[in-house]
Amino acid sequence: TPGSKWDEPAQVLLATALNNAAELLRAQGLVDAAEPLLVQALSLRESALGPENPSVAESLSNLGMLWKAQGRLEEAEPHLKRCIEIKEAVFGQDHWSVAISLSNLARVVGARGNLKEAERLDRRCLAIKTAAHGPDHPSRAVTLNNLAQNCRARGELEEAEQLYRQAVEIWDGVYGDGHPLVATVLNNLGLIVYQRGDRDQATLLLRRALAIDEAVYGPSHPAVARDQNNLADVLARPENEHEASTDAYEERRLEAVELLKRSVAIYGSFYGETHPHARGVMDNLVRILRDDEFEDDGGGGS
């Protein structure tokens, strides 16, 4: 048991080694193998340093976010709350480290369906970041993107679009318009713009995102597959029955089919054909091809 065979410095060193080993395992996707190491690291730190030490907060956060990755949200939430309480007591309520933990907790409570509480946490996070580093710091764009996702989930599309545009502006200014973070937000922005009824602008935004990711990662990266799927989804949806019979729509539909075929191939190569990403894109492809078959049947074929 912790404390029975180790003096305090040794326990702290062992806890740090366990924590680092767990993070390496997580980076390799070995989440289940990382969990017992993080549990032991937390126990050692609490024993050696006391329950209110910042290193304990770090262990609580690491374990909570691992549980989030496993979908164990109910277990993750109290650990992340306790992490914030420790940091606030040690560093103060407006410390940068508190902002990071607020964002982590927001992701969990939002995933559990409490979008208003997630918004409150993210807005507090944003206020801390703004006070610490000003309005143009790249970390603010992360929180703006999170807030936009929240607004989108609640159906507040106009505010979501404004928040996405602020995030794009910050990352454009900091990293340049060819950075993959810009592509991620352009994807989100393009889908919002499409939901709000402007397919032409949405298509331009999604094409820009795809071009960035292809330039950064090459043609066979999962980010490229994501972009292709999003662009195809917008291209393949006619506004009405009349448009569905036009040559312009048929050109878009054929492009969408090719994009989805490439996307399926990329996801299949990276994750396997049964992975949810690959299956989701395949479902989109089947839907488009099936719609075409129904149109042929309805045309009075032999």
Side-chain angles (χ1 to χ4, degrees), residues 22-152:
E23 291 306 299
L24 286 173
L25 289 170
R26 282 190 63 183
Q28 298 172 54
L30 302 173
V31 176
D32 292 342
E35 181 184 358
L37 304 186
L38 291 177
V39 170
Q40 187 179 358
L42 173 59
S43 180
L44 286 166
R45 283 174 168 173
E46 286 180 321
S47 174
L49 302 171
E52 307 303 323
N53 188 276
S55 292
V56 173
E58 179 192 25
S59 285
L60 288 165
S61 178
N62 290 342
L63 187 54
M65 294 307 287
L66 180 137
W67 284 339
K68 175 186 177 294
Q70 293 176 319
R72 296 159 63 182
L73 303 178
E74 188 174 354
E75 295 170 82
E77 185 173 333
H79 276 58
L80 296 176
K81 286 181 175 178
R82 187 178 157 211
C83 170
I84 292 171
E85 291 170 0
I86 294 171
K87 288 184 175 182
E88 288 177 334
V90 174
F91 303 123
Q93 293 193 342
D94 297 326
H95 193 271
W96 181 261
S97 179
V98 173
I100 295 170
S101 297
L102 288 168
S103 181
N104 289 341
L105 179 59
R107 308 284 70 73
V108 170
V109 299
R112 295 191 70 191
N114 191 347
L115 296 178
K116 292 300 291 184
E117 175 63 8
E119 180 189 15
R120 185 190 70 80
L121 293 164
D122 274 330
R123 291 199 182 279
R124 187 179 159 204
C125 172
L126 185 65
I128 295 172
K129 289 180 175 182
T130 303
H133 294 292
D136 298 323
H137 194 272
S139 71
R140 286 189 76 251
V142 176
T143 306
L144 289 166
N145 185 70
N146 290 338
L147 279 167
Q149 296 281 60
N150 187 308
C151 288
R152 181 184 178 191

Side-chain angles (χ1 to χ4, degrees), residues 54-282:
S55 292
V56 173
E58 179 192 25
S59 285
L60 288 165
S61 178
N62 290 342
L63 187 54
M65 294 307 287
L66 180 137
W67 284 339
K68 175 186 177 294
Q70 293 176 319
R72 296 159 63 182
L73 303 178
E74 188 174 354
E75 295 170 82
E77 185 173 333
H79 276 58
L80 296 176
K81 286 181 175 178
R82 187 178 157 211
C83 170
I84 292 171
E85 291 170 0
I86 294 171
K87 288 184 175 182
E88 288 177 334
V90 174
F91 303 123
Q93 293 193 342
D94 297 326
H95 193 271
W96 181 261
S97 179
V98 173
I100 295 170
S101 297
L102 288 168
S103 181
N104 289 341
L105 179 59
R107 308 284 70 73
V108 170
V109 299
R112 295 191 70 191
N114 191 347
L115 296 178
K116 292 300 291 184
E117 175 63 8
E119 180 189 15
R120 185 190 70 80
L121 293 164
D122 274 330
R123 291 199 182 279
R124 187 179 159 204
C125 172
L126 185 65
I128 295 172
K129 289 180 175 182
T130 303
H133 294 292
D136 298 323
H137 194 272
S139 71
R140 286 189 76 251
V142 176
T143 306
L144 289 166
N145 185 70
N146 290 338
L147 279 167
Q149 296 281 60
N150 187 308
C151 288
R152 181 184 178 191
R154 301 201 318 265
E156 297 175 3
L157 301 184
E158 183 177 358
E159 184 174 3
E161 180 178 341
Q162 292 172 358
L163 291 164
Y164 281 135
R165 290 190 184 280
Q166 290 179 52
V168 169
E169 184 177 355
I170 291 172
W171 274 331
D172 263 346
V174 174
Y175 301 121
D177 63 4
H179 195 277
L181 286 173
V182 175
T184 297
V185 184
L186 287 172
N187 257 290
N188 294 334
L189 178 59
L191 295 175
I192 281 286
V193 168
Y194 176 70
Q195 282 184 267
R196 298 194 67 202
D198 191 342
R199 185 183 60 211
D200 290 342
Q201 186 187 11
T203 301
L204 290 174
L205 291 166
L206 294 170
R207 288 193 190 281
R208 183 181 163 200
L210 176 58
I212 291 171
D213 281 333
E214 285 182 328
V216 172
Y217 298 118
S220 302
H221 190 273
V224 172
R226 173 202 63 194
D227 299 346
Q228 291 167 337
N229 181 55
N230 289 341
L231 176 57
D233 192 50
V234 170
L235 290 173
R237 294 185 183 273
E239 292 185 2
N240 51 53
E241 187 175 344
H242 171 72
E243 189 192 35
S245 64
T246 64
D247 291 341
Y249 169 71
E250 179 61 14
E251 288 182 14
R252 294 206 317 269
R253 191 191 68 82
L254 291 174
E255 182 183 358
V257 168
E258 291 307 310
L259 286 166
L260 290 174
K261 287 179 178 178
R262 287 160 55 194
S263 182
V264 167
I266 294 169
Y267 278 141
S269 175
F270 263 79
Y271 303 124
E273 295 180 357
T274 60
H275 189 275
H277 289 343
R279 294 176 64 179
V281 177
M282 180 60 74

